[in-house]
Amino acid sequence: MNIFITVMLIINSCAFVFDFIFSLYLSFSKKIRQEKYYGGSRNFTTLLLLIPAMNEFATLKRDLPYLVKLHNQCKNFINLELVFIDDDSSDGTTELLDKWSHHANLHVIHRVKPNAQIGKGPALEYTVNQIIQMNYSLGKTLIGIINADSHFDSDYLKEVVATFQNSSYDLVQTRVDIYNTVDNLTIMQNFEFSIYNGLLQMARTNWGSALASGNGQFVTLKMAKNVGWSSSLLEDCEFSLKGLLKGYYGTFLNTVSVKQEGVSNLRKLIRQRTRWCQGGLQCLRIYGGAIMKAKHLQTIVKTFIIFFLMVPYLSVIVVPSSIISVSVLIFYAFYRPLIGLAIIFTLLFIENLVNTLMIEKQWHESNLEPPKNRLKIFRIIFSFAFYRWVLAFIPYRAIIRQLKGNDSWVKTAHS
């Protein structure tokens, strides 16, 4: 038993040190070289915004008038067209979109069962195939993927188009922020998306390539045609990996963001993250070997991708080691109060320090305005540790689903 506890303590110590060093790296990593976005010679004339719209009646009824007006707001730099993907909706979305389909520059793609509601990837693949048949120029057309609940404007799209025009990238991922930060659960999602993932995407870009990350991803029509989407539960990651294997690279645009609704129900959040986690396991099984063998990819890119996809398996070991370590520390504090409490407070100080550094780094890099009430920063810092524990057992659920062969897709539910 003593040997087992010792091994668990060593594993947890190694995980803590790695997390600390990696967080410090993100906090002090170099800024993305913006000069890469200037001096290009490409000319894109059309941007097709693909908006998956399965049972999005309430959201679209509110936002459609604004979305339609975006065309005129963007016409001085791009021809914007909206493509709504109605995935056999049952809440009135189909009828609502049909009423708006007479507008110029607005297209509606209807899908019906059994081919509908089987995943975001198949819906995107079907839609892009329909677009290709419309004879858009592969070299002058961009594809954007925006969630129906997103908030963005013409300035956001202008920055995206400029990034493509002035670089050689075929994929641009923008920062994602959460707009309904009304409780700890949504505030933590905003920290996770806007702060942590933002810094992570900057590091990926500097290493060689950013990865598509759900909402706010843009690609050239040429890449969309040659790579395509599949049925993975993490379709954005799968698309990025397939693209890398074919020589397509991505960058991260950190100075603008698309805002989306955070999941405010814990059960729905766990369901969403389980799907994402299982999708990562699928990508590891299908593409892990090919990524490692790809001679054109840098070693650091390969290493990060494989490590990122293996996190669920590593968590199966790290989570119980963390529980045992915390229990040992609490037990030790009863017998050696001064030393035990000193260790606990030191560990808490280190974790909260790196969270603070990451927040300050991202606010500086992305030109985000810090909250006027600085106490909100402490709320973010201290809540994130609990948030990570809430999500700590998701890898177990994902692995169990994978072992059972259950790869059913369930759309993220919003309020």
Side-chain angles (χ1 to χ4, degrees):
M1 179 62 72
N2 289 336
I3 295 176
F4 174 75
I5 293 177
T6 301
V7 171
M8 291 291 101
L9 290 174
I10 292 173
I11 291 174
N12 186 66
S13 298
C14 292
F16 183 86
V17 170
F18 175 82
D19 184 63
F20 172 67
I21 293 174
F22 188 66
S23 297
L24 282 181
Y25 171 80
L26 293 180
S27 300
F28 294 99
S29 59
K30 60 183 179 180
K31 187 175 182 178
I32 295 177
R33 298 187 299 278
Q34 297 294 320
E35 61 268 20
K36 292 189 296 185
Y37 300 148
Y38 299 95
S41 58
R42 295 192 296 182
N43 179 33
F44 293 96
T45 58
T46 303
L47 169 59
L48 297 164
L49 276 190
L50 275 53
I51 305 176
M54 187 185 88
N55 294 331
E56 294 284 0
F57 176 81
T59 299
L60 293 179
K61 183 179 180 181
R62 177 195 66 195
D63 293 342
L64 264 169
Y66 171 78
L67 291 172
V68 169
K69 291 178 182 178
L70 273 176
H71 171 76
N72 288 334
Q73 297 171 12
C74 297
K75 63 182 180 181
N76 64 328
F77 62 90
I78 199 77
N79 174 41
L80 177 66
E81 302 193 20
L82 304 175
V83 182
F84 292 92
I85 309 172
D86 171 35
D87 216 27
D88 205 354
S89 299
S90 58
D91 68 339
T93 297
T94 302
E95 293 76 14
L96 177 66
L97 289 174
D98 284 341
K99 288 180 181 179
W100 285 82
S101 61
H102 67 279
H103 282 269
N105 309 106
L106 189 154
H107 311 275
V108 180
I109 303 294
H110 290 296
R111 286 165 51 78
V112 295
K113 293 179 181 178
N115 295 320
Q117 298 189 11
I118 56 175
K120 186 176 179 181
L124 294 173
E125 179 66 6
Y126 177 83
T127 302
V128 168
N129 287 334
Q130 296 297 306
I131 289 171
I132 291 172
Q133 294 178 22
M134 298 177 188
N135 296 320
Y136 286 97
S137 170
L138 290 180
K140 293 182 178 293
T141 305
L142 299 174
I143 297 290
I145 300 166
I146 297 289
N147 292 351
D149 62 302
S150 300
H151 293 179
F152 61 98
D153 57 21
S154 59
D155 289 337
Y156 166 80
L157 298 176
K158 186 175 183 179
E159 289 293 320
V160 171
V161 172
T163 303
F164 277 106
Q165 305 274 37
N166 299 302
S167 74
S168 60
Y169 290 106
D170 284 277
L171 184 154
V172 172
Q173 174 64 51
T174 64
R175 194 179 77 244
V176 177
D177 297 339
I178 301 297
Y179 65 76
N180 61 322
T181 50
V182 295
D183 53 31
N184 278 347
L185 197 62
T186 50
I187 289 173
M188 288 305 97
Q189 289 170 67
N190 191 50
F191 175 89
E192 185 180 22
F193 289 1
S194 181
I195 305 297
Y196 189 83
N197 194 54
L199 293 174
L200 189 59
Q201 289 280 31
M202 285 199 295
R204 288 170 176 167
T205 299
N206 285 327
W207 293 339
S209 179
L211 302 180
S213 186
N215 197 10
Q217 57 180 295
F218 298 80
V219 301
T220 60
L221 181 57
K222 179 181 178 181
M223 180 181 180
K225 177 185 178 183
N226 294 338
V227 176
W229 285 267
S230 303
S231 58
S232 166
L233 294 175
L234 197 62
E235 84 292 330
D236 47 8
C237 179
E238 182 177 28
F239 180 82
S240 299
L241 298 182
K242 290 167 65 178
L244 282 173
L245 291 173
K246 293 187 176 184
Y248 291 99
Y249 297 90
T251 190
F252 179 64
L253 192 56
N254 195 29
T255 53
V256 294
S257 69
V258 59
K259 297 174 176 59
Q260 70 180 43
E261 181 184 351
V263 182
S264 56
N265 179 282
L266 181 59
R267 181 179 298 178
K268 294 176 181 178
L269 179 67
I270 291 175
R271 185 187 305 151
Q272 177 198 64
R273 298 312 170 84
T274 300
R275 171 166 57 83
W276 291 358
C277 187
Q278 186 180 358
L281 298 177
Q282 293 174 335
C283 289
L284 176 64
R285 175 176 56 84
I286 299 172
Y287 302 102
I291 290 292
M292 291 302 296
K293 295 176 183 178
K295 295 181 180 180
H296 65 282
L297 295 179
Q298 297 180 25
T299 301
I300 190 170
V301 175
K302 296 179 183 180
T303 302
F304 173 79
I305 289 174
I306 298 302
F307 177 80
F308 170 72
L309 297 177
M310 287 188 64
V311 164
Y313 292 119
L314 297 174
S315 298
V316 171
I317 302 173
V318 172
V319 170
S321 73
S322 299
I323 295 173
I324 291 172
S325 298
V326 170
S327 302
V328 168
L329 274 177
I330 295 174
F331 182 79
Y332 186 74
F334 279 106
Y335 289 89
R336 295 287 190 274
L338 291 179
I339 298 177
L341 290 175
I343 295 174
I344 291 174
F345 282 117
T346 299
L347 295 176
L348 290 174
F349 173 79
I350 291 173
E351 180 169 356
N352 293 325
L353 173 64
V354 295
N355 287 340
T356 303
L357 291 173
M358 285 192 291
I359 290 172
E360 295 291 342
K361 164 78 172 181
Q362 177 63 334
W363 278 341
H364 174 72
E365 295 287 348
S366 59
N367 299 322
L368 285 170
E369 183 178 348
K372 295 179 180 179
N373 183 2
R374 303 293 284 190
L375 291 177
K376 289 184 178 181
I377 300 177
F378 293 102
R379 180 180 180 182
I380 295 171
I381 293 168
F382 288 107
S383 297
F384 192 61
F386 295 100
Y387 178 75
R388 293 175 72 173
W389 275 107
V390 168
L391 302 181
F393 297 94
I394 283 176
Y396 294 91
R397 298 182 79 246
I399 292 172
I400 290 173
R401 278 175 55 92
Q402 188 73 0
L403 291 174
K404 288 182 176 180
N406 183 358
D407 58 356
S408 59
W409 176 85
V410 179
K411 179 190 173 205
T412 298
H414 298 284
S415 57

